[in-house]
Amino acid sequence: MTRGLVIERFDPRRATEADLAGYHDVVAASEATDRPGEPGLPFEELAGRLTRPLPGLGPAAHWVGYREHEFVAVAEARFLEDENSGIGLTEISVHPGHRCVGIGTAMLRAVVPELRARSREVVEGWQVVAGSAGQRWAEAWGFRPVRTIARQALVVAEADRSAWDVAVPAGYRPRRWSGAAPDDVVASYARARGAIHDAPLGQSGYRWPEWTVDRVRAAEAGFREQGIEQQVVVAIHEASGDVAGFTEVCVHPRRPDWAYQRDTAVLAAHRGHGLGRCVKAHMARWLVAERPALQRISTTTGAENTHMIRVNHAVGYTTQRSMIAVQEDLAALEARLAEKTWTGRRSP
Protein backbone atom coordinates (compact mmCIF):
# COMPACT_ATOMS: atom_id res chain seq x y z
CA MET A 1 0.00 0.00 0.00
CA THR A 2 1.15 3.51 -0.76
CA ARG A 3 -0.93 5.19 1.96
CA GLY A 4 0.94 8.13 3.42
CA LEU A 5 3.46 8.21 0.57
CA VAL A 6 4.47 11.68 -0.63
CA ILE A 7 6.47 12.07 -3.86
CA GLU A 8 8.25 15.32 -4.66
CA ARG A 9 10.82 16.63 -7.09
CA PHE A 10 14.22 16.76 -5.45
CA ASP A 11 16.78 19.47 -6.14
CA PRO A 12 20.17 18.21 -4.90
CA ARG A 13 21.69 21.69 -5.05
CA ARG A 14 19.16 23.01 -2.55
CA ALA A 15 18.99 19.89 -0.42
CA THR A 16 20.13 19.85 3.18
CA GLU A 17 22.81 17.48 4.41
CA ALA A 18 20.05 15.44 6.06
CA ASP A 19 18.13 15.20 2.79
CA LEU A 20 21.21 14.00 0.92
CA ALA A 21 21.87 11.48 3.69
CA GLY A 22 18.29 10.20 3.39
CA TYR A 23 18.73 9.81 -0.36
CA HIS A 24 21.97 7.93 0.22
CA ASP A 25 20.34 5.65 2.78
CA VAL A 26 17.85 4.42 0.16
CA VAL A 27 20.55 3.87 -2.46
CA ALA A 28 22.93 2.15 -0.02
CA ALA A 29 20.26 -0.18 1.34
CA SER A 30 19.14 -1.07 -2.18
CA GLU A 31 22.68 -1.80 -3.31
CA ALA A 32 23.38 -3.95 -0.26
CA THR A 33 20.31 -6.06 -1.00
CA ASP A 34 20.52 -6.21 -4.80
CA ARG A 35 24.31 -6.34 -5.22
CA PRO A 36 25.66 -8.25 -2.23
CA GLY A 37 29.43 -8.40 -2.00
CA GLU A 38 30.04 -5.17 -3.93
CA PRO A 39 31.35 -2.08 -2.12
CA GLY A 40 28.58 0.47 -1.83
CA LEU A 41 28.67 4.01 -3.17
CA PRO A 42 30.06 6.29 -0.42
CA PHE A 43 27.96 9.22 0.71
CA GLU A 44 30.47 11.80 -0.57
CA GLU A 45 30.50 10.26 -4.04
CA LEU A 46 26.73 10.02 -4.31
CA ALA A 47 26.23 13.56 -3.01
CA GLY A 48 28.81 14.80 -5.50
CA ARG A 49 27.11 13.04 -8.40
CA LEU A 50 23.75 14.46 -7.40
CA THR A 51 24.94 18.04 -7.12
CA ARG A 52 27.28 17.82 -10.13
CA PRO A 53 26.05 15.06 -12.47
CA LEU A 54 28.75 13.13 -14.28
CA PRO A 55 29.43 14.43 -17.80
CA GLY A 56 28.24 12.59 -20.86
CA LEU A 57 24.72 11.59 -19.78
CA GLY A 58 22.91 14.90 -20.18
CA PRO A 59 20.88 16.83 -17.60
CA ALA A 60 19.16 15.01 -14.75
CA ALA A 61 15.94 15.23 -12.76
CA HIS A 62 15.32 13.62 -9.36
CA TRP A 63 12.38 12.59 -7.23
CA VAL A 64 12.05 11.32 -3.66
CA GLY A 65 9.27 9.38 -2.01
CA TYR A 66 8.86 9.62 1.74
CA ARG A 67 6.59 8.64 4.58
CA GLU A 68 6.52 10.66 7.77
CA HIS A 69 9.70 12.49 6.72
CA GLU A 70 11.61 9.24 6.05
CA PHE A 71 12.90 8.69 2.52
CA VAL A 72 11.67 5.32 1.22
CA ALA A 73 12.34 5.66 -2.52
CA VAL A 74 14.32 7.75 -4.99
CA ALA A 75 14.21 8.13 -8.76
CA GLU A 76 16.49 9.70 -11.34
CA ALA A 77 15.95 10.44 -15.02
CA ARG A 78 18.83 11.37 -17.29
CA PHE A 79 18.04 13.07 -20.57
CA LEU A 80 20.63 11.84 -23.02
CA GLU A 81 21.65 14.15 -25.83
CA ASP A 82 22.88 14.15 -29.43
CA GLU A 83 22.53 10.66 -30.97
CA ASN A 84 20.50 9.52 -27.95
CA SER A 85 18.14 12.46 -27.47
CA GLY A 86 15.10 10.19 -27.68
CA ILE A 87 16.05 8.19 -24.59
CA GLY A 88 14.97 8.85 -21.03
CA LEU A 89 17.44 6.92 -18.88
CA THR A 90 15.57 6.10 -15.69
CA GLU A 91 16.52 4.47 -12.39
CA ILE A 92 14.17 3.86 -9.46
CA SER A 93 15.31 2.56 -6.07
CA VAL A 94 12.97 1.52 -3.27
CA HIS A 95 14.30 0.83 0.21
CA PRO A 96 14.15 -2.95 0.80
CA GLY A 97 12.06 -2.40 3.92
CA HIS A 98 9.32 -0.71 1.87
CA ARG A 99 9.10 -2.90 -1.22
CA CYS A 100 6.20 -4.88 -2.67
CA VAL A 101 3.53 -2.31 -1.82
CA GLY A 102 3.43 -0.24 -5.02
CA ILE A 103 5.97 2.47 -4.20
CA GLY A 104 8.12 1.73 -7.25
CA THR A 105 5.08 2.07 -9.51
CA ALA A 106 4.10 5.35 -7.84
CA MET A 107 7.61 6.68 -8.48
CA LEU A 108 7.41 5.57 -12.12
CA ARG A 109 4.13 7.45 -12.51
CA ALA A 110 5.82 10.58 -11.17
CA VAL A 111 8.73 10.32 -13.62
CA VAL A 112 6.80 9.58 -16.83
CA PRO A 113 5.27 13.07 -17.35
CA GLU A 114 8.73 14.63 -17.24
CA LEU A 115 9.95 12.17 -19.87
CA ARG A 116 7.07 13.26 -22.10
CA ALA A 117 7.79 16.93 -21.43
CA ARG A 118 11.40 16.37 -22.52
CA SER A 119 10.26 14.73 -25.80
CA ARG A 120 11.60 11.29 -24.97
CA GLU A 121 10.40 8.39 -27.10
CA VAL A 122 11.72 5.41 -25.13
CA VAL A 123 12.49 4.70 -21.50
CA GLU A 124 15.60 2.68 -20.67
CA GLY A 125 17.08 1.43 -17.41
CA TRP A 126 20.65 0.11 -17.30
CA GLN A 127 21.06 -0.83 -13.63
CA VAL A 128 18.70 -3.79 -13.27
CA VAL A 129 20.30 -6.80 -11.60
CA ALA A 130 19.66 -9.95 -13.63
CA GLY A 131 17.16 -12.27 -11.98
CA SER A 132 16.21 -9.72 -9.31
CA ALA A 133 12.83 -8.52 -8.14
CA GLY A 134 13.62 -5.32 -10.03
CA GLN A 135 13.82 -7.20 -13.32
CA ARG A 136 10.54 -8.99 -12.65
CA TRP A 137 8.86 -5.69 -11.77
CA ALA A 138 10.16 -3.97 -14.90
CA GLU A 139 9.07 -6.82 -17.16
CA ALA A 140 5.62 -6.88 -15.56
CA TRP A 141 5.21 -3.24 -16.62
CA GLY A 142 6.17 -4.15 -20.18
CA PHE A 143 9.88 -3.34 -20.17
CA ARG A 144 11.85 -5.65 -22.45
CA PRO A 145 15.36 -6.87 -21.68
CA VAL A 146 17.45 -5.45 -24.51
CA ARG A 147 20.99 -6.03 -23.34
CA THR A 148 22.90 -8.08 -20.78
CA ILE A 149 25.91 -6.42 -19.17
CA ALA A 150 28.74 -8.02 -17.21
CA ARG A 151 29.89 -6.02 -14.17
CA GLN A 152 33.60 -6.67 -13.72
CA ALA A 153 36.26 -5.46 -11.34
CA LEU A 154 40.00 -5.67 -10.94
CA VAL A 155 40.69 -5.83 -7.21
CA VAL A 156 44.27 -4.64 -6.80
CA ALA A 157 45.04 -6.62 -3.63
CA GLU A 158 43.94 -9.85 -5.32
CA ALA A 159 45.46 -9.25 -8.75
CA ASP A 160 48.29 -11.29 -10.25
CA ARG A 161 50.52 -8.43 -11.36
CA SER A 162 52.51 -10.70 -13.65
CA ALA A 163 49.44 -10.62 -15.91
CA TRP A 164 50.39 -7.03 -16.68
CA ASP A 165 53.76 -8.07 -18.16
CA VAL A 166 52.43 -7.94 -21.70
CA ALA A 167 54.88 -7.40 -24.55
CA VAL A 168 54.11 -4.62 -27.00
CA PRO A 169 53.31 -6.17 -30.42
CA ALA A 170 55.90 -5.56 -33.13
CA GLY A 171 55.23 -2.43 -35.12
CA TYR A 172 53.53 -0.58 -32.26
CA ARG A 173 54.53 1.45 -29.22
CA PRO A 174 52.54 2.52 -26.16
CA ARG A 175 51.89 6.13 -25.26
CA ARG A 176 49.99 7.54 -22.33
CA TRP A 177 48.65 10.83 -21.06
CA SER A 178 46.48 12.39 -18.39
CA GLY A 179 43.77 14.82 -19.38
CA ALA A 180 43.95 16.34 -22.84
CA ALA A 181 45.18 14.26 -25.78
CA PRO A 182 48.38 15.70 -27.28
CA ASP A 183 47.75 17.83 -30.35
CA ASP A 184 49.88 15.62 -32.59
CA VAL A 185 47.65 12.56 -32.07
CA VAL A 186 44.23 13.98 -31.19
CA ALA A 187 42.84 13.54 -34.72
CA SER A 188 43.85 9.89 -34.97
CA TYR A 189 42.76 9.37 -31.37
CA ALA A 190 39.27 10.62 -32.31
CA ARG A 191 39.21 8.17 -35.22
CA ALA A 192 40.31 5.32 -32.96
CA ARG A 193 37.54 6.17 -30.51
CA GLY A 194 35.12 5.54 -33.34
CA ALA A 195 36.14 1.89 -33.32
CA ILE A 196 33.86 1.45 -30.29
CA HIS A 197 30.98 1.38 -32.79
CA ASP A 198 31.78 -2.28 -33.42
CA ALA A 199 31.01 -3.17 -29.80
CA PRO A 200 27.56 -4.80 -29.58
CA LEU A 201 24.72 -2.94 -27.87
CA GLY A 202 22.06 -5.63 -28.08
CA GLN A 203 18.65 -4.15 -28.83
CA SER A 204 19.19 -1.02 -26.77
CA GLY A 205 18.25 2.24 -28.43
CA TYR A 206 21.53 3.75 -27.26
CA ARG A 207 24.05 4.69 -29.97
CA TRP A 208 27.79 5.20 -29.52
CA PRO A 209 28.98 8.79 -29.92
CA GLU A 210 30.29 10.00 -33.27
CA TRP A 211 33.77 11.08 -32.21
CA THR A 212 35.46 14.15 -33.70
CA VAL A 213 38.33 16.27 -32.44
CA ASP A 214 35.84 18.85 -31.17
CA ARG A 215 33.90 16.19 -29.31
CA VAL A 216 37.06 14.79 -27.76
CA ARG A 217 38.02 18.25 -26.54
CA ALA A 218 34.51 18.89 -25.18
CA ALA A 219 34.55 15.59 -23.25
CA GLU A 220 37.99 16.37 -21.82
CA ALA A 221 36.77 19.81 -20.73
CA GLY A 222 33.76 18.22 -19.01
CA PHE A 223 36.02 15.94 -16.99
CA ARG A 224 38.37 18.80 -16.06
CA GLU A 225 35.47 20.93 -14.88
CA GLN A 226 34.57 18.27 -12.31
CA GLY A 227 38.13 17.45 -11.30
CA ILE A 228 37.88 13.97 -12.85
CA GLU A 229 41.26 12.64 -13.91
CA GLN A 230 41.11 11.04 -17.33
CA GLN A 231 43.92 8.55 -17.95
CA VAL A 232 44.53 7.23 -21.47
CA VAL A 233 46.89 4.60 -22.86
CA VAL A 234 47.12 4.20 -26.63
CA ALA A 235 48.96 1.95 -29.04
CA ILE A 236 50.73 3.97 -31.73
CA HIS A 237 51.22 2.34 -35.13
CA GLU A 238 54.90 2.97 -35.82
CA ALA A 239 54.62 3.12 -39.62
CA SER A 240 51.87 5.76 -39.69
CA GLY A 241 52.21 7.43 -36.31
CA ASP A 242 48.46 7.04 -35.78
CA VAL A 243 46.58 5.73 -32.77
CA ALA A 244 45.59 2.13 -33.50
CA GLY A 245 43.89 1.35 -30.18
CA PHE A 246 43.26 2.90 -26.79
CA THR A 247 41.86 2.42 -23.31
CA GLU A 248 40.49 5.12 -21.02
CA VAL A 249 40.11 5.17 -17.22
CA CYS A 250 38.69 7.92 -15.01
CA VAL A 251 39.39 8.60 -11.34
CA HIS A 252 36.90 10.80 -9.49
CA PRO A 253 38.18 13.28 -6.89
CA ARG A 254 35.77 12.02 -4.23
CA ARG A 255 36.81 8.39 -4.67
CA PRO A 256 40.57 8.18 -5.25
CA ASP A 257 40.69 4.52 -4.23
CA TRP A 258 38.44 3.51 -7.13
CA ALA A 259 38.98 3.89 -10.88
CA TYR A 260 36.34 3.56 -13.58
CA GLN A 261 37.34 1.77 -16.77
CA ARG A 262 35.61 3.44 -19.69
CA ASP A 263 35.98 2.75 -23.42
CA THR A 264 38.55 0.43 -24.94
CA ALA A 265 38.72 -0.17 -28.70
CA VAL A 266 41.10 -1.16 -31.49
CA LEU A 267 40.64 -0.13 -35.10
CA ALA A 268 39.63 -3.03 -37.33
CA ALA A 269 42.80 -2.83 -39.43
CA HIS A 270 44.94 -3.40 -36.31
CA ARG A 271 43.04 -6.21 -34.63
CA GLY A 272 44.46 -9.66 -34.02
CA HIS A 273 47.75 -8.43 -32.52
CA GLY A 274 46.70 -8.31 -28.87
CA LEU A 275 46.60 -4.51 -28.66
CA GLY A 276 43.51 -4.47 -26.40
CA ARG A 277 45.20 -6.61 -23.78
CA CYS A 278 48.43 -4.64 -24.20
CA VAL A 279 46.92 -1.21 -23.51
CA LYS A 280 44.83 -2.52 -20.61
CA ALA A 281 47.82 -4.20 -19.00
CA HIS A 282 49.88 -1.03 -19.37
CA MET A 283 47.03 0.99 -17.88
CA ALA A 284 46.76 -1.28 -14.83
CA ARG A 285 50.49 -1.12 -14.16
CA TRP A 286 50.56 2.66 -14.62
CA LEU A 287 47.61 3.29 -12.31
CA VAL A 288 48.82 1.03 -9.53
CA ALA A 289 52.38 2.41 -9.69
CA GLU A 290 51.27 6.03 -9.43
CA ARG A 291 48.31 5.55 -7.08
CA PRO A 292 49.26 3.46 -4.03
CA ALA A 293 45.79 4.02 -2.56
CA LEU A 294 44.01 2.50 -5.55
CA GLN A 295 41.99 -0.55 -4.55
CA ARG A 296 39.74 -1.34 -7.47
CA ILE A 297 39.11 -0.70 -11.16
CA SER A 298 35.47 -1.18 -12.11
CA THR A 299 33.99 -1.71 -15.56
CA THR A 300 30.93 -2.91 -17.43
CA THR A 301 31.06 -4.90 -20.66
CA GLY A 302 28.26 -6.12 -22.91
CA ALA A 303 27.78 -9.85 -22.41
CA GLU A 304 27.87 -10.33 -26.19
CA ASN A 305 31.35 -8.81 -26.28
CA THR A 306 33.02 -12.08 -25.32
CA HIS A 307 36.38 -10.97 -26.71
CA MET A 308 36.64 -7.97 -24.38
CA ILE A 309 35.45 -10.05 -21.43
CA ARG A 310 38.30 -12.50 -22.13
CA VAL A 311 40.76 -9.60 -22.38
CA ASN A 312 39.56 -8.27 -19.04
CA HIS A 313 39.92 -11.66 -17.41
CA ALA A 314 43.44 -11.97 -18.82
CA VAL A 315 44.59 -8.82 -17.01
CA GLY A 316 42.89 -9.66 -13.72
CA TYR A 317 39.26 -8.57 -13.86
CA THR A 318 36.64 -10.90 -12.41
CA THR A 319 32.97 -10.90 -13.32
CA GLN A 320 30.82 -9.98 -10.32
CA ARG A 321 27.31 -10.29 -11.71
CA SER A 322 25.10 -9.76 -14.72
CA MET A 323 23.03 -6.63 -15.20
CA ILE A 324 20.10 -6.15 -17.56
CA ALA A 325 19.26 -3.09 -19.64
CA VAL A 326 15.51 -2.78 -20.14
CA GLN A 327 13.48 -0.65 -22.53
CA GLU A 328 9.89 0.32 -23.29
CA ASP A 329 8.28 2.80 -25.65
CA LEU A 330 7.11 5.79 -23.67
CA ALA A 331 3.67 5.88 -25.33
CA ALA A 332 3.05 2.21 -24.55
CA LEU A 333 4.15 2.70 -20.95
CA GLU A 334 1.87 5.71 -20.56
CA ALA A 335 -1.07 3.70 -21.88
CA ARG A 336 -0.31 0.76 -19.61
CA LEU A 337 -0.05 2.99 -16.54
CA ALA A 338 -3.33 4.71 -17.46
CA GLU A 339 -5.03 1.33 -17.77
CA LYS A 340 -3.25 -0.01 -14.69
CA THR A 341 -2.24 -3.01 -16.80
CA TRP A 342 0.04 -4.77 -14.36
CA THR A 343 0.93 -8.32 -15.40
CA GLY A 344 2.79 -9.33 -12.24
CA ARG A 345 1.58 -10.29 -8.79
CA ARG A 346 3.00 -7.49 -6.69
CA SER A 347 4.65 -4.17 -7.37
CA PRO A 348 7.73 -2.84 -5.56
Side-chain angles (χ1 to χ4, degrees), residues 10-20 51:
F10 183 73
D11 184 348
R13 292 181 176 83
R14 296 183 177 181
T16 66
E17 187 86 1
D19 288 339
L20 292 171
T51 54

Side-chain angles (χ1 to χ4, degrees), residues 55-102:
L57 292 175
H62 304 273
W63 292 258
V64 294
Y66 60 90
R67 280 173 162 166
E68 297 181 355
H69 307 293
E70 177 189 2
F71 284 15
V72 297
V74 299
E76 177 185 79
R78 299 297 299 262
F79 304 101
L80 307 186
E81 299 174 314
D82 301 316
E83 300 90 350
N84 299 297
S85 58
I87 298 175
L89 185 60
T90 302
E91 183 175 0
I92 296 172
S93 298
V94 179
H95 192 288
H98 297 270
R99 292 180 177 177
C100 299
V101 295

Side-chain angles (χ1 to χ4, degrees), residues 178-221:
S178 297
D183 289 339
D184 64 316
V185 295
V186 66
S188 67
Y189 173 55
R191 289 193 295 272
R193 293 206 65 128
I196 197 70
H197 283 250
D198 294 343
L201 287 169
Q203 296 176 301
S204 170
Y206 181 79
R207 294 294 174 261
W208 296 115
E210 296 291 342
W211 287 101
T212 63
V213 171
D214 287 345
R215 195 159 189 171
V216 167
R217 293 305 191 208
E220 292 168 345

Side-chain angles (χ1 to χ4, degrees), residues 105 109 140-141 331-343:
T105 296
R109 291 183 187 278
W141 274 115
L333 180 59
E334 289 171 320
R336 196 170 292 115
L337 287 168
E339 296 169 0
K340 300 182 180 179
T341 308
W342 164 258
T343 62

Side-chain angles (χ1 to χ4, degrees), residues 168-173 235-242 244 270 275:
V168 180
Y172 300 89
R173 58 182 170 84
I236 301 291
H237 182 229
E238 293 277 21
S240 64
D242 290 341
H270 299 278
L275 291 179

Side-chain angles (χ1 to χ4, degrees), residues 84-145:
N84 299 297
S85 58
I87 298 175
L89 185 60
T90 302
E91 183 175 0
I92 296 172
S93 298
V94 179
H95 192 288
H98 297 270
R99 292 180 177 177
C100 299
V101 295
I103 292 175
T105 296
M107 298 296 289
L108 181 62
R109 291 183 187 278
V111 173
V112 161
E114 186 67 17
L115 301 179
R116 173 59 63 192
R118 302 279 189 122
S119 302
R120 304 293 123 166
E121 298 172 358
V122 298
V123 189
E124 291 204 7
W126 297 349
Q127 300 294 327
V128 180
V129 177
S132 68
Q135 181 181 355
R136 293 188 292 273
W137 173 80
E139 291 179 356
W141 274 115
F143 285 87
R144 305 174 300 279

Side-chain angles (χ1 to χ4, degrees), residues 247-265:
T247 192
E248 171 196 24
V249 167
C250 285
V251 181
H252 299 180
R254 298 174 297 269
R255 206 174 194 184
D257 61 333
W258 194 303
Y260 296 87
Q261 170 71 62
R262 292 173 60 88
D263 290 351
T264 300

